Amino acid sequence: MKKLLVIFIAVLAFSCGDNKKTDTPAETRPIGSGVEEVTPSETDAVANLQIEGNDQMQYNKKEFRVKAGQKVRLTLKHVGSMDKKTMGHNWVLLTQGTDIMEFGQASATAEDNDYIPKDREDQVIAHTKMLGGGESDTIEFDAPPAGTYEFICSFPGHVALMKGKFIVE
Ligand code: ZN
């Protein structure tokens, strides 16, 4: 009985030690090495954006803000489990003045082109692949000139719920 208790405590102590491990990198980061001067300018230059789509036909974000001229790195993750044929999600950034409902309707007939209508590609600033549950895709593009843009999922019927603003300042 005593032996079991000792093992139990040992396991507890071990798992505590393990948790602490994840905290250490911040403390052990070198100070004044010059590395920190480089990092902020790099993170300024690239806007790292993340957005998720789920099985309930929803994005987890309605708005992004970036600076004009900034490089944008955007990752879309489908956090659901449904197939891309029934609950596909992509992220499509459209030019100003594009009617998102019209674009969504046109994309319904563009299954062969990942639901991006070929005759409307000039209205697309950037887009990810169409994803199914568990998949993700990362794209890079230059932020367009200052203004407010709209993004959508162009899977048939999704634009009504899956849309948001992309604001360039
Ligand atoms: Zn979708």
Side-chain angles (χ1 to χ4, degrees), residues 26 29-43:
R29 198 177 292 154
I31 298 161
S33 60
V35 174
E36 288 184 47
E37 283 168 34
V38 177
T39 318
S41 65
E42 268 183 10
T43 49

mmCIF file with all atom_site columns, all heavy atoms in Angstrom, residues 26 29-43:
data_model
loop_
_atom_site.group_PDB
_atom_site.id
_atom_site.type_symbol
_atom_site.label_atom_id
_atom_site.label_alt_id
_atom_site.label_comp_id
_atom_site.label_asym_id
_atom_site.label_entity_id
_atom_site.label_seq_id
_atom_site.pdbx_PDB_ins_code
_atom_site.Cartn_x
_atom_site.Cartn_y
_atom_site.Cartn_z
_atom_site.occupancy
_atom_site.B_iso_or_equiv
_atom_site.pdbx_formal_charge
_atom_site.auth_seq_id
_atom_site.auth_comp_id
_atom_site.auth_asym_id
_atom_site.auth_atom_id
_atom_site.pdbx_PDB_model_num
ATOM 1   N N   . ALA A 1 26 ? 10.295 31.397 -22.121 1.00 0.00 ? 26 ALA A N   1
ATOM 2   C CA  . ALA A 1 26 ? 10.220 32.851 -21.998 1.00 0.00 ? 26 ALA A CA  1
ATOM 3   C C   . ALA A 1 26 ? 11.268 33.368 -21.022 1.00 0.00 ? 26 ALA A C   1
ATOM 4   O O   . ALA A 1 26 ? 11.846 34.432 -21.224 1.00 0.00 ? 26 ALA A O   1
ATOM 5   C CB  . ALA A 1 26 ? 8.834  33.259 -21.541 1.00 0.00 ? 26 ALA A CB  1
ATOM 6   N N   . ARG A 1 29 ? 14.977 33.186 -22.431 1.00 0.00 ? 29 ARG A N   1
ATOM 7   C CA  . ARG A 1 29 ? 15.273 33.950 -23.650 1.00 0.00 ? 29 ARG A CA  1
ATOM 8   C C   . ARG A 1 29 ? 16.387 34.959 -23.362 1.00 0.00 ? 29 ARG A C   1
ATOM 9   O O   . ARG A 1 29 ? 16.308 35.701 -22.375 1.00 0.00 ? 29 ARG A O   1
ATOM 10  C CB  . ARG A 1 29 ? 14.008 34.680 -24.096 1.00 0.00 ? 29 ARG A CB  1
ATOM 11  C CG  . ARG A 1 29 ? 14.070 35.125 -25.549 1.00 0.00 ? 29 ARG A CG  1
ATOM 12  C CD  . ARG A 1 29 ? 12.773 35.783 -25.953 1.00 0.00 ? 29 ARG A CD  1
ATOM 13  N NE  . ARG A 1 29 ? 11.661 34.834 -25.999 1.00 0.00 ? 29 ARG A NE  1
ATOM 14  C CZ  . ARG A 1 29 ? 10.386 35.175 -25.840 1.00 0.00 ? 29 ARG A CZ  1
ATOM 15  N NH1 . ARG A 1 29 ? 10.048 36.422 -25.637 1.00 0.00 ? 29 ARG A NH1 1
ATOM 16  N NH2 . ARG A 1 29 ? 9.448  34.275 -25.899 1.00 0.00 ? 29 ARG A NH2 1
ATOM 17  N N   . PRO A 1 30 ? 17.397 35.006 -24.189 1.00 0.00 ? 30 PRO A N   1
ATOM 18  C CA  . PRO A 1 30 ? 18.491 35.950 -23.924 1.00 0.00 ? 30 PRO A CA  1
ATOM 19  C C   . PRO A 1 30 ? 18.031 37.397 -24.013 1.00 0.00 ? 30 PRO A C   1
ATOM 20  O O   . PRO A 1 30 ? 17.217 37.755 -24.864 1.00 0.00 ? 30 PRO A O   1
ATOM 21  C CB  . PRO A 1 30 ? 19.523 35.624 -25.013 1.00 0.00 ? 30 PRO A CB  1
ATOM 22  C CG  . PRO A 1 30 ? 18.760 34.904 -26.072 1.00 0.00 ? 30 PRO A CG  1
ATOM 23  C CD  . PRO A 1 30 ? 17.611 34.223 -25.394 1.00 0.00 ? 30 PRO A CD  1
ATOM 24  N N   . ILE A 1 31 ? 18.561 38.211 -23.120 1.00 0.00 ? 31 ILE A N   1
ATOM 25  C CA  . ILE A 1 31 ? 18.183 39.628 -23.085 1.00 0.00 ? 31 ILE A CA  1
ATOM 26  C C   . ILE A 1 31 ? 19.313 40.467 -23.679 1.00 0.00 ? 31 ILE A C   1
ATOM 27  O O   . ILE A 1 31 ? 20.495 40.238 -23.407 1.00 0.00 ? 31 ILE A O   1
ATOM 28  C CB  . ILE A 1 31 ? 17.888 40.070 -21.632 1.00 0.00 ? 31 ILE A CB  1
ATOM 29  C CG1 . ILE A 1 31 ? 16.696 39.269 -21.093 1.00 0.00 ? 31 ILE A CG1 1
ATOM 30  C CG2 . ILE A 1 31 ? 17.615 41.566 -21.566 1.00 0.00 ? 31 ILE A CG2 1
ATOM 31  C CD1 . ILE A 1 31 ? 16.600 39.257 -19.593 1.00 0.00 ? 31 ILE A CD1 1
ATOM 32  N N   . GLY A 1 32 ? 18.948 41.424 -24.470 1.00 0.00 ? 32 GLY A N   1
ATOM 33  C CA  . GLY A 1 32 ? 19.943 42.355 -25.010 1.00 0.00 ? 32 GLY A CA  1
ATOM 34  C C   . GLY A 1 32 ? 20.904 41.720 -25.997 1.00 0.00 ? 32 GLY A C   1
ATOM 35  O O   . GLY A 1 32 ? 22.020 42.175 -26.166 1.00 0.00 ? 32 GLY A O   1
ATOM 36  N N   . SER A 1 33 ? 20.466 40.637 -26.647 1.00 0.00 ? 33 SER A N   1
ATOM 37  C CA  . SER A 1 33 ? 21.361 39.970 -27.590 1.00 0.00 ? 33 SER A CA  1
ATOM 38  C C   . SER A 1 33 ? 21.244 40.579 -28.988 1.00 0.00 ? 33 SER A C   1
ATOM 39  O O   . SER A 1 33 ? 21.966 40.216 -29.891 1.00 0.00 ? 33 SER A O   1
ATOM 40  C CB  . SER A 1 33 ? 21.033 38.478 -27.650 1.00 0.00 ? 33 SER A CB  1
ATOM 41  O OG  . SER A 1 33 ? 19.696 38.323 -28.075 1.00 0.00 ? 33 SER A OG  1
ATOM 42  N N   . GLY A 1 34 ? 20.300 41.511 -29.145 1.00 0.00 ? 34 GLY A N   1
ATOM 43  C CA  . GLY A 1 34 ? 20.111 42.107 -30.464 1.00 0.00 ? 34 GLY A CA  1
ATOM 44  C C   . GLY A 1 34 ? 19.037 41.393 -31.255 1.00 0.00 ? 34 GLY A C   1
ATOM 45  O O   . GLY A 1 34 ? 18.492 41.928 -32.207 1.00 0.00 ? 34 GLY A O   1
ATOM 46  N N   . VAL A 1 35 ? 18.704 40.182 -30.848 1.00 0.00 ? 35 VAL A N   1
ATOM 47  C CA  . VAL A 1 35 ? 17.678 39.395 -31.545 1.00 0.00 ? 35 VAL A CA  1
ATOM 48  C C   . VAL A 1 35 ? 16.332 40.105 -31.463 1.00 0.00 ? 35 VAL A C   1
ATOM 49  O O   . VAL A 1 35 ? 15.583 40.148 -32.425 1.00 0.00 ? 35 VAL A O   1
ATOM 50  C CB  . VAL A 1 35 ? 17.576 37.979 -30.939 1.00 0.00 ? 35 VAL A CB  1
ATOM 51  C CG1 . VAL A 1 35 ? 16.422 37.209 -31.562 1.00 0.00 ? 35 VAL A CG1 1
ATOM 52  C CG2 . VAL A 1 35 ? 18.887 37.227 -31.159 1.00 0.00 ? 35 VAL A CG2 1
ATOM 53  N N   . GLU A 1 36 ? 16.065 40.708 -30.318 1.00 0.00 ? 36 GLU A N   1
ATOM 54  C CA  . GLU A 1 36 ? 14.762 41.331 -30.113 1.00 0.00 ? 36 GLU A CA  1
ATOM 55  C C   . GLU A 1 36 ? 14.533 42.548 -30.997 1.00 0.00 ? 36 GLU A C   1
ATOM 56  O O   . GLU A 1 36 ? 13.411 42.939 -31.228 1.00 0.00 ? 36 GLU A O   1
ATOM 57  C CB  . GLU A 1 36 ? 14.595 41.713 -28.640 1.00 0.00 ? 36 GLU A CB  1
ATOM 58  C CG  . GLU A 1 36 ? 14.384 40.477 -27.776 1.00 0.00 ? 36 GLU A CG  1
ATOM 59  C CD  . GLU A 1 36 ? 14.113 40.819 -26.337 1.00 0.00 ? 36 GLU A CD  1
ATOM 60  O OE1 . GLU A 1 36 ? 13.295 41.697 -26.097 1.00 0.00 ? 36 GLU A OE1 1
ATOM 61  O OE2 . GLU A 1 36 ? 14.736 40.201 -25.456 1.00 0.00 ? 36 GLU A OE2 1
ATOM 62  N N   . GLU A 1 37 ? 15.615 43.152 -31.447 1.00 0.00 ? 37 GLU A N   1
ATOM 63  C CA  . GLU A 1 37 ? 15.457 44.319 -32.317 1.00 0.00 ? 37 GLU A CA  1
ATOM 64  C C   . GLU A 1 37 ? 15.014 43.915 -33.720 1.00 0.00 ? 37 GLU A C   1
ATOM 65  O O   . GLU A 1 37 ? 14.361 44.664 -34.412 1.00 0.00 ? 37 GLU A O   1
ATOM 66  C CB  . GLU A 1 37 ? 16.783 45.096 -32.413 1.00 0.00 ? 37 GLU A CB  1
ATOM 67  C CG  . GLU A 1 37 ? 17.035 45.936 -31.162 1.00 0.00 ? 37 GLU A CG  1
ATOM 68  C CD  . GLU A 1 37 ? 18.441 46.463 -31.127 1.00 0.00 ? 37 GLU A CD  1
ATOM 69  O OE1 . GLU A 1 37 ? 18.973 46.748 -32.208 1.00 0.00 ? 37 GLU A OE1 1
ATOM 70  O OE2 . GLU A 1 37 ? 19.002 46.575 -30.021 1.00 0.00 ? 37 GLU A OE2 1
ATOM 71  N N   . VAL A 1 38 ? 15.390 42.706 -34.111 1.00 0.00 ? 38 VAL A N   1
ATOM 72  C CA  . VAL A 1 38 ? 15.038 42.231 -35.458 1.00 0.00 ? 38 VAL A CA  1
ATOM 73  C C   . VAL A 1 38 ? 13.594 41.735 -35.481 1.00 0.00 ? 38 VAL A C   1
ATOM 74  O O   . VAL A 1 38 ? 12.855 42.035 -36.393 1.00 0.00 ? 38 VAL A O   1
ATOM 75  C CB  . VAL A 1 38 ? 15.997 41.096 -35.903 1.00 0.00 ? 38 VAL A CB  1
ATOM 76  C CG1 . VAL A 1 38 ? 15.570 40.560 -37.263 1.00 0.00 ? 38 VAL A CG1 1
ATOM 77  C CG2 . VAL A 1 38 ? 17.427 41.623 -35.970 1.00 0.00 ? 38 VAL A CG2 1
ATOM 78  N N   . THR A 1 39 ? 13.193 41.011 -34.424 1.00 0.00 ? 39 THR A N   1
ATOM 79  C CA  . THR A 1 39 ? 11.889 40.359 -34.420 1.00 0.00 ? 39 THR A CA  1
ATOM 80  C C   . THR A 1 39 ? 10.705 41.318 -34.585 1.00 0.00 ? 39 THR A C   1
ATOM 81  O O   . THR A 1 39 ? 9.849  41.050 -35.422 1.00 0.00 ? 39 THR A O   1
ATOM 82  C CB  . THR A 1 39 ? 11.715 39.499 -33.155 1.00 0.00 ? 39 THR A CB  1
ATOM 83  O OG1 . THR A 1 39 ? 12.948 38.820 -32.928 1.00 0.00 ? 39 THR A OG1 1
ATOM 84  C CG2 . THR A 1 39 ? 10.606 38.499 -33.325 1.00 0.00 ? 39 THR A CG2 1
ATOM 85  N N   . PRO A 1 40 ? 10.630 42.455 -33.854 1.00 0.00 ? 40 PRO A N   1
ATOM 86  C CA  . PRO A 1 40 ? 9.449  43.295 -34.003 1.00 0.00 ? 40 PRO A CA  1
ATOM 87  C C   . PRO A 1 40 ? 9.245  43.822 -35.433 1.00 0.00 ? 40 PRO A C   1
ATOM 88  O O   . PRO A 1 40 ? 8.128  43.849 -35.924 1.00 0.00 ? 40 PRO A O   1
ATOM 89  C CB  . PRO A 1 40 ? 9.710  44.464 -33.038 1.00 0.00 ? 40 PRO A CB  1
ATOM 90  C CG  . PRO A 1 40 ? 10.676 43.920 -32.060 1.00 0.00 ? 40 PRO A CG  1
ATOM 91  C CD  . PRO A 1 40 ? 11.537 42.964 -32.831 1.00 0.00 ? 40 PRO A CD  1
ATOM 92  N N   . SER A 1 41 ? 10.322 44.206 -36.095 1.00 0.00 ? 41 SER A N   1
ATOM 93  C CA  . SER A 1 41 ? 10.161 44.735 -37.451 1.00 0.00 ? 41 SER A CA  1
ATOM 94  C C   . SER A 1 41 ? 9.673  43.640 -38.401 1.00 0.00 ? 41 SER A C   1
ATOM 95  O O   . SER A 1 41 ? 8.922  43.899 -39.329 1.00 0.00 ? 41 SER A O   1
ATOM 96  C CB  . SER A 1 41 ? 11.469 45.344 -37.955 1.00 0.00 ? 41 SER A CB  1
ATOM 97  O OG  . SER A 1 41 ? 12.447 44.351 -38.079 1.00 0.00 ? 41 SER A OG  1
ATOM 98  N N   . GLU A 1 42 ? 10.091 42.402 -38.138 1.00 0.00 ? 42 GLU A N   1
ATOM 99  C CA  . GLU A 1 42 ? 9.628  41.303 -38.992 1.00 0.00 ? 42 GLU A CA  1
ATOM 100 C C   . GLU A 1 42 ? 8.150  41.022 -38.765 1.00 0.00 ? 42 GLU A C   1
ATOM 101 O O   . GLU A 1 42 ? 7.411  40.788 -39.706 1.00 0.00 ? 42 GLU A O   1
ATOM 102 C CB  . GLU A 1 42 ? 10.430 40.035 -38.698 1.00 0.00 ? 42 GLU A CB  1
ATOM 103 C CG  . GLU A 1 42 ? 11.641 39.899 -39.612 1.00 0.00 ? 42 GLU A CG  1
ATOM 104 C CD  . GLU A 1 42 ? 12.391 38.606 -39.375 1.00 0.00 ? 42 GLU A CD  1
ATOM 105 O OE1 . GLU A 1 42 ? 11.884 37.743 -38.653 1.00 0.00 ? 42 GLU A OE1 1
ATOM 106 O OE2 . GLU A 1 42 ? 13.498 38.500 -39.924 1.00 0.00 ? 42 GLU A OE2 1
ATOM 107 N N   . THR A 1 43 ? 7.708  41.081 -37.505 1.00 0.00 ? 43 THR A N   1
ATOM 108 C CA  . THR A 1 43 ? 6.302  40.805 -37.243 1.00 0.00 ? 43 THR A CA  1
ATOM 109 C C   . THR A 1 43 ? 5.434  41.969 -37.736 1.00 0.00 ? 43 THR A C   1
ATOM 110 O O   . THR A 1 43 ? 4.278  41.794 -38.052 1.00 0.00 ? 43 THR A O   1
ATOM 111 C CB  . THR A 1 43 ? 6.037  40.545 -35.747 1.00 0.00 ? 43 THR A CB  1
ATOM 112 O OG1 . THR A 1 43 ? 6.652  41.594 -35.010 1.00 0.00 ? 43 THR A OG1 1
ATOM 113 C CG2 . THR A 1 43 ? 6.594  39.220 -35.303 1.00 0.00 ? 43 THR A CG2 1
#
